[in-house]
Amino acid sequence: MKKFLLPALAAAIPALAMAQSATDAYTLTQSDLRGTARFMSMGGAFTALGGDLSAVNVNPASLGVYRSSEIGATLDVGFHNFKTSLSSQNKTTAACNNFGYVGVVNLSGAMRTFAWGANYNRVSSFDRIIDGYSPTLHSSLSNYVAGFTNGTPYQDLEFTDSYNPYAQSNEDWLSILAYNSYLINPNSASGTEYQGLFGQGSVADSYYYSRERGYVDEYNFSFGGNVSNVVSWGVNIGVTDLSYTRDVAYDESIGGADIATNSGRLAPGKAEFTLSNSQHVTGTGWNLNFGVIIRPINELRFGFSVKTPTWWSLQHAAIGAVDYSFNPDNSNLGSLNGYEETDQANFDSRLTSPWRFNLGVAGVIGSSAIVSIDYERTAYPDMTMKHQGQWYNDFVSATAVNDDIKNYYQAANSLRVGVEYRVTPQFSLRAGYAWQSTAVKDAAADGTEEIYTSGTDPSYVFNKAVNSISVGAGYRYKSWYIDAAYVHKKRSSTYYCFTDWAGGIAPSGHVDENVNTIVLSTGFRF
């Protein structure tokens, strides 16, 4: 948990002890397979294909494929299932995840068309519920906190009438919270060494719960054209909006613990505590996207696009609390019960998301079939963060967090495949598949790398590969169209209550997420 900051900077802004972490940066920069029904039914493989409202967000050169103007909207309904060893949670969501407009002017000369567009897409949704139970613990969160707090004078953690360690020190906020709720206690006369609750002969279990909510929306303003019906080009300016909320709770019950008592002594007994955390992040950002589509012959297209990072301006609010109960085996020593809460942390940060590169090829078979294949590379190690400096609106590189990003994450590779078959001139059938590799390095996932988190929340989630399969159909009647799609997405993750590192075994659980989505799109071309 602990990261050492530049002393002058940390002294100027104690709230940096709550600052964002590498795991937060990754959470906020992921994207989903979302868009029009045609786009989703074909697995999102539109880098070379174009001609779709959502394809403009992947490759703005899609505008050059249009020969007429279009307006359309999309509604999707998602049925989410989150399965852990403890339970199966269900949630239903509904949203208008895409609407847009493309205008086209037909020209004479080499530039055959010029097009512009305005488009809205829900890039990602953060809905996820995780809960689990670990019947046998080999250590305690309190012991982990005691380990990284060692060397800190207890006077730096303790409240007095004139001293608030949250506001007046640069100590780790989880250390402060754990000390003042008796999860860690000094175990030496020096007052700089600490012990946790789990000792020799202790037995313990734990329960954990996490609830995520929120979204990333993107508004795109694009323009592009077609040169000699061979080269399509496009440029896209994206404006983004983010809202993310995470509420977590971690509960431990320890028998044979080394606990503080009402008499001021440490003694064996039963310890129960719940660490709860809540954080809310909002922000806005912007990005650029450039692309081309080349059609050397009518039956073949090649596409390429590069999307710059989204430069995010984020606002954070976070708070943590511990509810504790300690009951000594010797009742004469007196029970100790209470509730301790941190100050609310409010701070700003700057986040640069990964670069994204797309390559695609699409072919027409006969006059009725289309096959399209995309490859995307997302450069997660290139993410960077900045924290507030000594002055308002002054942001400096968060060097330790940026190092963590490179230590924990690798580039993710995605493969998207889509097919469409025109049964009649009006009716088409479609299918698609999309796969994305994990962005988490093996050393981080297997516990050989210590994972640092933000504030007083030591938990984090590492996602594994994501697979989506889809089918769909479309109907055209003159200028009007209606499309439908069904998408099944499967994502597996591992939830860690705190870092599983250096031989310690932290409570963790496997999470299987299955999302079944029904998508309907309609629009007009004119």
Side-chain angles (χ1 to χ4, degrees):
M1 174 67 67
K2 177 168 283 188
K3 283 284 186 176
F4 292 99
L5 306 168
L6 294 174
L9 179 62
I13 306 177
L16 279 180
M18 290 287 287
Q20 198 175 18
S21 67
T23 56
D24 296 325
Y26 173 66
T27 296
L28 299 178
T29 55
Q30 297 177 79
S31 61
D32 296 335
L33 175 62
R34 288 179 175 270
T36 66
R38 183 173 183 239
F39 180 88
M40 294 181 70
S41 66
M42 297 179 65
F46 274 78
T47 300
L49 198 55
D52 182 271
L53 291 175
S54 292
V56 175
N57 300 327
V58 175
N59 185 352
S62 298
L63 289 172
V65 179
Y66 276 91
R67 296 297 178 266
S68 60
S69 301
E70 178 179 348
I71 187 169
T74 298
L75 173 69
D76 71 24
V77 180
F79 304 92
H80 304 251
N81 175 260
F82 310 94
K83 188 175 182 179
T84 67
S85 59
L86 182 66
S87 68
S88 179
Q89 302 274 359
N90 296 293
K91 180 175 175 58
T92 301
T93 59
C96 177
N97 71 21
N98 170 270
F99 59 83
Y101 165 79
V102 170
V104 178
V105 174
N106 292 295
L107 305 172
S108 59
M111 182 73 74
R112 300 297 177 86
T113 64
F114 180 80
W116 65 94
N119 199 10
Y120 158 79
N121 259 310
R122 175 145 291 182
V123 177
S124 60
S125 174
F126 298 118
D127 288 296
R128 180 159 55 179
I129 303 171
I130 299 172
D131 63 350
Y133 174 70
S134 295
T136 304
L137 301 186
H138 301 279
S139 186
S140 165
L141 170 63
S142 62
N143 292 60
Y144 171 64
V145 178
F148 69 68
T149 309
N150 281 337
T152 303
Y154 77 89
Q155 295 91 341
D156 290 351
L157 307 174
E158 191 171 68
F159 281 86
T160 68
D161 291 340
S162 59
Y163 176 69
N164 178 347
Y166 293 119
Q168 295 172 262
S169 79
N170 64 336
E171 300 301 335
D172 190 280
W173 279 33
L174 185 54
S175 295
I176 299 170
L177 180 61
Y179 177 83
N180 288 283
S181 55
Y182 305 97
L183 303 190
I184 62 173
N185 297 284
N187 66 357
S188 68
S190 67
T192 60
E193 300 295 320
Y194 301 87
Q195 69 178 63
L197 301 172
F198 196 97
Q200 188 173 4
S202 296
V203 293
D205 61 3
S206 69
Y207 168 79
Y208 50 88
Y209 173 85
S210 171
R211 176 73 170 92
E212 295 172 279
R213 302 180 299 279
Y215 58 84
V216 174
D217 288 341
E218 186 168 278
Y219 305 86
N220 294 284
F221 305 93
S222 314
F223 60 91
N226 179 287
V227 180
S228 300
N229 287 329
V230 175
V231 177
S232 298
W233 60 274
V235 178
N236 190 353
I237 302 171
V239 179
T240 51
D241 176 40
L242 176 149
S243 177
Y244 174 76
T245 300
R246 186 169 191 254
D247 297 302
V248 296
Y250 174 72
D251 179 89
E252 277 188 8
S253 179
I254 309 172
D258 297 323
I259 62 171
T261 66
N262 214 11
S263 64
R265 293 172 49 190
L266 295 180
K270 183 175 183 179
E272 294 180 308
F273 71 86
T274 299
L275 170 65
S276 56
N277 278 278
S278 180
Q279 66 165 312
H280 183 57
V281 184
T282 58
T284 57
W286 67 279
N287 56 60
L288 297 172
N289 196 349
F290 308 90
V292 295
I293 294 175
I294 300 173
R295 187 174 67 170
I297 57 176
N298 288 334
E299 294 77 16
L300 187 63
R301 295 178 185 176
F302 299 98
F304 170 76
S305 68
V306 54
K307 188 171 187 178
T308 70
T310 298
W311 290 281
W312 285 105
S313 175
L314 302 176
Q315 297 79 46
H316 307 257
I319 194 166
V322 170
D323 192 347
Y324 58 90
S325 176
F326 303 127
N327 296 286
D329 295 336
N330 182 351
S331 60
N332 293 327
L333 296 176
S335 299
L336 190 62
N337 305 283
Y339 177 83
E340 185 69 27
E341 189 174 78
T342 69
D343 290 355
Q344 178 164 307
N346 296 285
F347 58 95
D348 295 346
S349 72
R350 299 292 183 263
L351 170 62
T352 302
S353 75
W355 286 83
R356 297 178 186 270
F357 304 90
N358 281 279
L359 292 171
V361 58
V364 178
I365 303 173
S367 60
S368 301
I370 296 173
V371 177
S372 185
I373 302 173
D374 280 12
Y375 167 76
E376 179 179 303
R377 185 170 181 84
T378 307
Y380 283 106
D382 293 341
M383 294 187 295
T384 58
M385 291 202 60
K386 292 183 178 180
H387 295 314
Q388 282 180 291
Q390 291 180 294
W391 310 105
Y392 177 75
N393 210 29
D394 172 35
F395 290 85
V396 297
S397 176
T399 304
V401 177
N402 295 333
D403 289 343
D404 289 342
I405 289 172
K406 290 178 170 54
N407 289 336
Y408 305 164
Y409 298 108
Q410 60 192 355
N413 300 299
S414 299
L415 180 68
R416 303 187 293 266
V417 180
V419 296
E420 180 179 67
Y421 181 73
R422 185 175 296 174
V423 181
T424 70
Q426 292 78 35
F427 181 69
S428 299
L429 295 175
R430 303 166 185 132
Y433 171 73
W435 168 84
Q436 183 182 39
S437 68
T438 180
V440 181
K441 288 185 175 180
D442 290 341
D446 64 19
T448 57
E449 181 84 40
E450 185 173 12
I451 307 301
Y452 297 98
T453 59
S454 60
T456 57
D457 180 10
S459 66
Y460 56 95
V461 181
F462 279 157
N463 296 327
K464 300 179 182 178
V466 182
N467 290 273
S468 298
I469 57 173
S470 52
V471 294
Y475 180 76
R476 301 287 186 269
Y477 179 74
K478 296 183 178 179
S479 298
W480 172 73
Y481 67 85
I482 184 169
D483 296 318
Y486 165 78
V487 184
H488 174 77
K489 183 182 84 169
K490 180 177 178 62
R491 178 174 67 176
S492 294
S493 309
T494 302
Y495 180 89
Y496 297 87
C497 297
F498 52 95
T499 186
D500 191 2
W501 178 73
I505 302 176
S508 62
H510 183 78
V511 186
D512 284 323
E513 178 183 351
N514 291 279
V515 184
N516 295 296
T517 305
I518 297 172
V519 190
L520 293 173
S521 296
T522 189
F524 293 89
R525 289 194 171 184
F526 51 93

mmCIF file of all heavy atoms in Angstrom, residues 474-507:
data_model
loop_
_atom_site.group_PDB
_atom_site.id
_atom_site.type_symbol
_atom_site.label_atom_id
_atom_site.label_comp_id
_atom_site.label_asym_id
_atom_site.label_seq_id
_atom_site.Cartn_x
_atom_site.Cartn_y
_atom_site.Cartn_z
ATOM 1 N N GLY A 474 -30.718 -7.963 -40.298
ATOM 2 C CA GLY A 474 -31.082 -6.615 -40.677
ATOM 3 C C GLY A 474 -32.077 -6.605 -41.820
ATOM 4 O O GLY A 474 -32.072 -7.491 -42.682
ATOM 5 N N TYR A 475 -32.916 -5.596 -41.809
ATOM 6 C CA TYR A 475 -33.932 -5.463 -42.866
ATOM 7 C C TYR A 475 -33.915 -4.034 -43.384
ATOM 8 O O TYR A 475 -33.872 -3.069 -42.608
ATOM 9 C CB TYR A 475 -35.317 -5.808 -42.323
ATOM 10 C CG TYR A 475 -36.417 -5.696 -43.361
ATOM 11 C CD1 TYR A 475 -36.562 -6.671 -44.335
ATOM 12 C CD2 TYR A 475 -37.272 -4.602 -43.357
ATOM 13 C CE1 TYR A 475 -37.566 -6.570 -45.303
ATOM 14 C CE2 TYR A 475 -38.276 -4.485 -44.319
ATOM 15 C CZ TYR A 475 -38.417 -5.472 -45.288
ATOM 16 O OH TYR A 475 -39.400 -5.363 -46.238
ATOM 17 N N ARG A 476 -33.934 -3.886 -44.712
ATOM 18 C CA ARG A 476 -33.955 -2.580 -45.366
ATOM 19 C C ARG A 476 -35.257 -2.423 -46.156
ATOM 20 O O ARG A 476 -35.660 -3.326 -46.897
ATOM 21 C CB ARG A 476 -32.782 -2.440 -46.343
ATOM 22 C CG ARG A 476 -31.408 -2.594 -45.709
ATOM 23 C CD ARG A 476 -31.054 -1.374 -44.874
ATOM 24 N NE ARG A 476 -29.694 -1.433 -44.364
ATOM 25 C CZ ARG A 476 -29.353 -1.964 -43.191
ATOM 26 N NH1 ARG A 476 -30.290 -2.508 -42.430
ATOM 27 N NH2 ARG A 476 -28.106 -1.955 -42.791
ATOM 28 N N TYR A 477 -35.894 -1.280 -45.998
ATOM 29 C CA TYR A 477 -37.066 -0.954 -46.812
ATOM 30 C C TYR A 477 -36.916 0.481 -47.289
ATOM 31 O O TYR A 477 -37.036 1.422 -46.497
ATOM 32 C CB TYR A 477 -38.357 -1.124 -46.021
ATOM 33 C CG TYR A 477 -39.590 -0.763 -46.824
ATOM 34 C CD1 TYR A 477 -40.063 -1.600 -47.824
ATOM 35 C CD2 TYR A 477 -40.255 0.443 -46.589
ATOM 36 C CE1 TYR A 477 -41.174 -1.262 -48.570
ATOM 37 C CE2 TYR A 477 -41.375 0.794 -47.327
ATOM 38 C CZ TYR A 477 -41.830 -0.064 -48.326
ATOM 39 O OH TYR A 477 -42.939 0.276 -49.071
ATOM 40 N N LYS A 478 -36.566 0.622 -48.560
ATOM 41 C CA LYS A 478 -36.293 1.937 -49.143
ATOM 42 C C LYS A 478 -35.212 2.639 -48.311
ATOM 43 O O LYS A 478 -34.107 2.133 -48.195
ATOM 44 C CB LYS A 478 -37.576 2.739 -49.249
ATOM 45 C CG LYS A 478 -38.603 2.121 -50.206
ATOM 46 C CD LYS A 478 -39.842 2.987 -50.353
ATOM 47 C CE LYS A 478 -40.810 2.358 -51.340
ATOM 48 N NZ LYS A 478 -42.053 3.159 -51.512
ATOM 49 N N SER A 479 -35.521 3.770 -47.702
ATOM 50 C CA SER A 479 -34.500 4.514 -46.946
ATOM 51 C C SER A 479 -34.402 4.086 -45.487
ATOM 52 O O SER A 479 -33.470 4.490 -44.783
ATOM 53 C CB SER A 479 -34.802 6.025 -47.006
ATOM 54 O OG SER A 479 -34.761 6.496 -48.328
ATOM 55 N N TRP A 480 -35.338 3.286 -45.046
ATOM 56 C CA TRP A 480 -35.400 2.921 -43.624
ATOM 57 C C TRP A 480 -34.750 1.564 -43.376
ATOM 58 O O TRP A 480 -34.810 0.663 -44.216
ATOM 59 C CB TRP A 480 -36.861 2.891 -43.192
ATOM 60 C CG TRP A 480 -37.091 2.359 -41.801
ATOM 61 C CD1 TRP A 480 -36.810 2.972 -40.627
ATOM 62 C CD2 TRP A 480 -37.648 1.088 -41.458
ATOM 63 N NE1 TRP A 480 -37.165 2.179 -39.556
ATOM 64 C CE2 TRP A 480 -37.695 1.011 -40.049
ATOM 65 C CE3 TRP A 480 -38.130 0.005 -42.223
ATOM 66 C CZ2 TRP A 480 -38.188 -0.111 -39.374
ATOM 67 C CZ3 TRP A 480 -38.613 -1.105 -41.548
ATOM 68 C CH2 TRP A 480 -38.636 -1.148 -40.138
ATOM 69 N N TYR A 481 -34.124 1.418 -42.219
ATOM 70 C CA TYR A 481 -33.551 0.117 -41.852
ATOM 71 C C TYR A 481 -33.809 -0.161 -40.374
ATOM 72 O O TYR A 481 -33.989 0.752 -39.550
ATOM 73 C CB TYR A 481 -32.044 0.070 -42.138
ATOM 74 C CG TYR A 481 -31.202 0.994 -41.282
ATOM 75 C CD1 TYR A 481 -30.758 0.620 -40.010
ATOM 76 C CD2 TYR A 481 -30.825 2.253 -41.746
ATOM 77 C CE1 TYR A 481 -29.985 1.449 -39.234
ATOM 78 C CE2 TYR A 481 -30.046 3.102 -40.974
ATOM 79 C CZ TYR A 481 -29.627 2.695 -39.718
ATOM 80 O OH TYR A 481 -28.863 3.529 -38.937
ATOM 81 N N ILE A 482 -33.830 -1.445 -40.073
ATOM 82 C CA ILE A 482 -33.894 -1.894 -38.680
ATOM 83 C C ILE A 482 -32.983 -3.107 -38.546
ATOM 84 O O ILE A 482 -32.978 -4.006 -39.401
ATOM 85 C CB ILE A 482 -35.334 -2.224 -38.239
ATOM 86 C CG1 ILE A 482 -35.338 -2.592 -36.748
ATOM 87 C CG2 ILE A 482 -35.956 -3.331 -39.095
ATOM 88 C CD1 ILE A 482 -36.738 -2.669 -36.156
ATOM 89 N N ASP A 483 -32.151 -3.097 -37.509
ATOM 90 C CA ASP A 483 -31.199 -4.174 -37.260
ATOM 91 C C ASP A 483 -31.383 -4.691 -35.839
ATOM 92 O O ASP A 483 -31.746 -3.931 -34.923
ATOM 93 C CB ASP A 483 -29.760 -3.684 -37.422
ATOM 94 C CG ASP A 483 -29.442 -3.245 -38.833
ATOM 95 O OD1 ASP A 483 -29.871 -3.942 -39.772
ATOM 96 O OD2 ASP A 483 -28.772 -2.203 -38.997
ATOM 97 N N ALA A 484 -31.093 -5.973 -35.660
ATOM 98 C CA ALA A 484 -31.165 -6.589 -34.333
ATOM 99 C C ALA A 484 -29.925 -7.454 -34.128
ATOM 100 O O ALA A 484 -29.366 -8.009 -35.090
ATOM 101 C CB ALA A 484 -32.431 -7.432 -34.186
ATOM 102 N N ALA A 485 -29.495 -7.563 -32.881
ATOM 103 C CA ALA A 485 -28.328 -8.386 -32.555
ATOM 104 C C ALA A 485 -28.499 -9.007 -31.182
ATOM 105 O O ALA A 485 -29.161 -8.439 -30.307
ATOM 106 C CB ALA A 485 -27.047 -7.549 -32.594
ATOM 107 N N TYR A 486 -27.885 -10.158 -31.034
ATOM 108 C CA TYR A 486 -27.747 -10.812 -29.721
ATOM 109 C C TYR A 486 -26.256 -11.033 -29.490
ATOM 110 O O TYR A 486 -25.561 -11.585 -30.357
ATOM 111 C CB TYR A 486 -28.498 -12.134 -29.680
ATOM 112 C CG TYR A 486 -28.093 -13.003 -28.497
ATOM 113 C CD1 TYR A 486 -28.582 -12.733 -27.221
ATOM 114 C CD2 TYR A 486 -27.187 -14.054 -28.668
ATOM 115 C CE1 TYR A 486 -28.194 -13.512 -26.140
ATOM 116 C CE2 TYR A 486 -26.801 -14.836 -27.587
ATOM 117 C CZ TYR A 486 -27.305 -14.562 -26.327
ATOM 118 O OH TYR A 486 -26.915 -15.320 -25.253
ATOM 119 N N VAL A 487 -25.772 -10.594 -28.335
ATOM 120 C CA VAL A 487 -24.351 -10.703 -28.017
ATOM 121 C C VAL A 487 -24.190 -11.402 -26.671
ATOM 122 O O VAL A 487 -24.846 -11.029 -25.684
ATOM 123 C CB VAL A 487 -23.678 -9.312 -27.954
ATOM 124 C CG1 VAL A 487 -22.180 -9.468 -27.715
ATOM 125 C CG2 VAL A 487 -23.938 -8.527 -29.226
ATOM 126 N N HIS A 488 -23.323 -12.399 -26.634
ATOM 127 C CA HIS A 488 -22.977 -13.061 -25.369
ATOM 128 C C HIS A 488 -21.508 -12.792 -25.068
ATOM 129 O O HIS A 488 -20.626 -13.129 -25.861
ATOM 130 C CB HIS A 488 -23.211 -14.569 -25.457
ATOM 131 C CG HIS A 488 -22.728 -15.304 -24.235
ATOM 132 N ND1 HIS A 488 -23.436 -15.304 -23.053
ATOM 133 C CD2 HIS A 488 -21.605 -16.030 -24.013
ATOM 134 C CE1 HIS A 488 -22.774 -16.017 -22.154
ATOM 135 N NE2 HIS A 488 -21.659 -16.464 -22.708
ATOM 136 N N LYS A 489 -21.270 -12.143 -23.930
ATOM 137 C CA LYS A 489 -19.904 -11.838 -23.514
ATOM 138 C C LYS A 489 -19.560 -12.601 -22.252
ATOM 139 O O LYS A 489 -20.362 -12.672 -21.318
ATOM 140 C CB LYS A 489 -19.744 -10.339 -23.246
ATOM 141 C CG LYS A 489 -18.308 -9.946 -22.872
ATOM 142 C CD LYS A 489 -18.177 -8.462 -22.554
ATOM 143 C CE LYS A 489 -18.554 -8.159 -21.123
ATOM 144 N NZ LYS A 489 -18.200 -6.775 -20.716
ATOM 145 N N LYS A 490 -18.362 -13.179 -22.229
ATOM 146 C CA LYS A 490 -17.878 -13.891 -21.047
ATOM 147 C C LYS A 490 -16.538 -13.298 -20.639
ATOM 148 O O LYS A 490 -15.622 -13.179 -21.451
ATOM 149 C CB LYS A 490 -17.726 -15.383 -21.321
ATOM 150 C CG LYS A 490 -17.230 -16.170 -20.108
ATOM 151 C CD LYS A 490 -17.166 -17.655 -20.399
ATOM 152 C CE LYS A 490 -16.619 -18.430 -19.200
ATOM 153 N NZ LYS A 490 -17.468 -18.292 -18.009
ATOM 154 N N ARG A 491 -16.457 -12.904 -19.361
ATOM 155 C CA ARG A 491 -15.214 -12.384 -18.817
ATOM 156 C C ARG A 491 -14.955 -13.013 -17.461
ATOM 157 O O ARG A 491 -15.826 -13.043 -16.602
ATOM 158 C CB ARG A 491 -15.292 -10.860 -18.666
ATOM 159 C CG ARG A 491 -14.037 -10.248 -18.052
ATOM 160 C CD ARG A 491 -14.076 -8.730 -18.047
ATOM 161 N NE ARG A 491 -15.084 -8.191 -17.160
ATOM 162 C CZ ARG A 491 -15.263 -6.888 -16.928
ATOM 163 N NH1 ARG A 491 -14.503 -6.003 -17.545
ATOM 164 N NH2 ARG A 491 -16.207 -6.470 -16.110
ATOM 165 N N SER A 492 -13.748 -13.514 -17.265
ATOM 166 C CA SER A 492 -13.337 -14.070 -15.977
ATOM 167 C C SER A 492 -12.342 -13.116 -15.329
ATOM 168 O O SER A 492 -11.533 -12.487 -16.017
ATOM 169 C CB SER A 492 -12.700 -15.448 -16.153
ATOM 170 O OG SER A 492 -13.659 -16.378 -16.624
ATOM 171 N N SER A 493 -12.425 -13.018 -14.009
ATOM 172 C CA SER A 493 -11.560 -12.110 -13.262
ATOM 173 C C SER A 493 -11.180 -12.768 -11.940
ATOM 174 O O SER A 493 -11.808 -13.741 -11.503
ATOM 175 C CB SER A 493 -12.269 -10.780 -12.972
ATOM 176 O OG SER A 493 -12.835 -10.225 -14.135
ATOM 177 N N THR A 494 -10.164 -12.220 -11.314
ATOM 178 C CA THR A 494 -9.801 -12.607 -9.952
ATOM 179 C C THR A 494 -9.849 -11.367 -9.073
ATOM 180 O O THR A 494 -9.243 -10.335 -9.410
ATOM 181 C CB THR A 494 -8.405 -13.234 -9.889
ATOM 182 O OG1 THR A 494 -8.357 -14.374 -10.745
ATOM 183 C CG2 THR A 494 -8.086 -13.687 -8.465
ATOM 184 N N TYR A 495 -10.593 -11.479 -7.977
ATOM 185 C CA TYR A 495 -10.718 -10.387 -7.020
ATOM 186 C C TYR A 495 -9.775 -10.669 -5.848
ATOM 187 O O TYR A 495 -9.797 -11.751 -5.257
ATOM 188 C CB TYR A 495 -12.160 -10.299 -6.517
ATOM 189 C CG TYR A 495 -12.415 -9.190 -5.517
ATOM 190 C CD1 TYR A 495 -12.784 -7.921 -5.936
ATOM 191 C CD2 TYR A 495 -12.284 -9.422 -4.143
ATOM 192 C CE1 TYR A 495 -13.018 -6.906 -5.025
ATOM 193 C CE2 TYR A 495 -12.517 -8.412 -3.219
ATOM 194 C CZ TYR A 495 -12.882 -7.158 -3.671
ATOM 195 O OH TYR A 495 -13.108 -6.157 -2.752
ATOM 196 N N TYR A 496 -8.921 -9.692 -5.523
ATOM 197 C CA TYR A 496 -7.977 -9.813 -4.411
ATOM 198 C C TYR A 496 -8.378 -8.834 -3.320
ATOM 199 O O TYR A 496 -8.537 -7.635 -3.575
ATOM 200 C CB TYR A 496 -6.553 -9.498 -4.881
ATOM 201 C CG TYR A 496 -6.016 -10.458 -5.917
ATOM 202 C CD1 TYR A 496 -6.249 -10.249 -7.268
ATOM 203 C CD2 TYR A 496 -5.276 -11.582 -5.542
ATOM 204 C CE1 TYR A 496 -5.754 -11.124 -8.230
ATOM 205 C CE2 TYR A 496 -4.776 -12.464 -6.485
ATOM 206 C CZ TYR A 496 -5.028 -12.225 -7.832
ATOM 207 O OH TYR A 496 -4.536 -13.099 -8.775
ATOM 208 N N CYS A 497 -8.526 -9.332 -2.093
ATOM 209 C CA CYS A 497 -8.875 -8.458 -0.972
ATOM 210 C C CYS A 497 -7.714 -7.542 -0.592
ATOM 211 O O CYS A 497 -7.933 -6.425 -0.112
ATOM 212 C CB CYS A 497 -9.312 -9.283 0.231
ATOM 213 S SG CYS A 497 -10.810 -10.248 -0.080
ATOM 214 N N PHE A 498 -6.511 -8.017 -0.755
ATOM 215 C CA PHE A 498 -5.305 -7.203 -0.655
ATOM 216 C C PHE A 498 -4.205 -7.952 -1.376
ATOM 217 O O PHE A 498 -4.425 -9.063 -1.876
ATOM 218 C CB PHE A 498 -4.933 -6.852 0.799
ATOM 219 C CG PHE A 498 -4.840 -8.015 1.753
ATOM 220 C CD1 PHE A 498 -3.631 -8.639 2.018
ATOM 221 C CD2 PHE A 498 -5.972 -8.481 2.422
ATOM 222 C CE1 PHE A 498 -3.542 -9.703 2.914
ATOM 223 C CE2 PHE A 498 -5.903 -9.532 3.326
ATOM 224 C CZ PHE A 498 -4.672 -10.157 3.570
ATOM 225 N N THR A 499 -3.032 -7.366 -1.475
ATOM 226 C CA THR A 499 -2.018 -7.934 -2.352
ATOM 227 C C THR A 499 -1.545 -9.302 -1.864
ATOM 228 O O THR A 499 -1.273 -9.510 -0.681
ATOM 229 C CB THR A 499 -0.820 -6.968 -2.503
ATOM 230 O OG1 THR A 499 0.081 -7.484 -3.461
ATOM 231 C CG2 THR A 499 -0.127 -6.729 -1.182
ATOM 232 N N ASP A 500 -1.485 -10.224 -2.795
ATOM 233 C CA ASP A 500 -1.013 -11.588 -2.545
ATOM 234 C C ASP A 500 0.460 -11.618 -2.949
ATOM 235 O O ASP A 500 0.806 -11.861 -4.103
ATOM 236 C CB ASP A 500 -1.854 -12.551 -3.397
ATOM 237 C CG ASP A 500 -1.623 -14.002 -3.025
ATOM 238 O OD1 ASP A 500 -0.852 -14.267 -2.098
ATOM 239 O OD2 ASP A 500 -2.230 -14.866 -3.684
ATOM 240 N N TRP A 501 1.327 -11.349 -1.988
ATOM 241 C CA TRP A 501 2.722 -11.062 -2.337
ATOM 242 C C TRP A 501 3.675 -11.591 -1.283
ATOM 243 O O TRP A 501 3.341 -11.708 -0.102
ATOM 244 C CB TRP A 501 2.896 -9.550 -2.476
ATOM 245 C CG TRP A 501 4.285 -9.104 -2.784
ATOM 246 C CD1 TRP A 501 4.947 -9.227 -3.970
ATOM 247 C CD2 TRP A 501 5.200 -8.473 -1.894
ATOM 248 N NE1 TRP A 501 6.197 -8.694 -3.885
ATOM 249 C CE2 TRP A 501 6.392 -8.225 -2.617
ATOM 250 C CE3 TRP A 501 5.124 -8.079 -0.552
ATOM 251 C CZ2 TRP A 501 7.501 -7.620 -2.053
ATOM 252 C CZ3 TRP A 501 6.236 -7.467 0.017
ATOM 253 C CH2 TRP A 501 7.405 -7.238 -0.726
ATOM 254 N N ALA A 502 4.901 -11.936 -1.740
ATOM 255 C CA ALA A 502 6.014 -12.324 -0.864
ATOM 256 C C ALA A 502 5.649 -13.486 0.049
ATOM 257 O O ALA A 502 5.973 -13.501 1.224
ATOM 258 C CB ALA A 502 6.493 -11.129 -0.030
ATOM 259 N N GLY A 503 4.966 -14.482 -0.507
ATOM 260 C CA GLY A 503 4.640 -15.667 0.269
ATOM 261 C C GLY A 503 3.362 -15.569 1.064
ATOM 262 O O GLY A 503 2.865 -16.569 1.563
ATOM 263 N N GLY A 504 2.821 -14.354 1.226
ATOM 264 C CA GLY A 504 1.547 -14.211 1.918
ATOM 265 C C GLY A 504 0.407 -14.670 1.032
ATOM 266 O O GLY A 504 0.469 -14.573 -0.197
ATOM 267 N N ILE A 505 -0.624 -15.206 1.641
ATOM 268 C CA ILE A 505 -1.775 -15.678 0.873
ATOM 269 C C ILE A 505 -2.970 -14.830 1.275
ATOM 270 O O ILE A 505 -3.549 -14.999 2.346
ATOM 271 C CB ILE A 505 -2.052 -17.173 1.141
ATOM 272 C CG1 ILE A 505 -0.802 -18.007 0.798
ATOM 273 C CG2 ILE A 505 -3.250 -17.644 0.318
ATOM 274 C CD1 ILE A 505 -0.946 -19.481 1.131
ATOM 275 N N ALA A 506 -3.333 -13.902 0.415
ATOM 276 C CA ALA A 506 -4.455 -13.015 0.697
ATOM 277 C C ALA A 506 -5.748 -13.661 0.224
ATOM 278 O O ALA A 506 -5.755 -14.455 -0.721
ATOM 279 C CB ALA A 506 -4.253 -11.683 -0.011
ATOM 280 N N PRO A 507 -6.874 -13.354 0.879
ATOM 281 C CA PRO A 507 -8.160 -13.864 0.386
ATOM 282 C C PRO A 507 -8.419 -13.368 -1.036
ATOM 283 O O PRO A 507 -8.183 -12.207 -1.355
ATOM 284 C CB PRO A 507 -9.179 -13.273 1.364
ATOM 285 C CG PRO A 507 -8.394 -12.897 2.582
ATOM 286 C CD PRO A 507 -7.028 -12.536 2.093
#
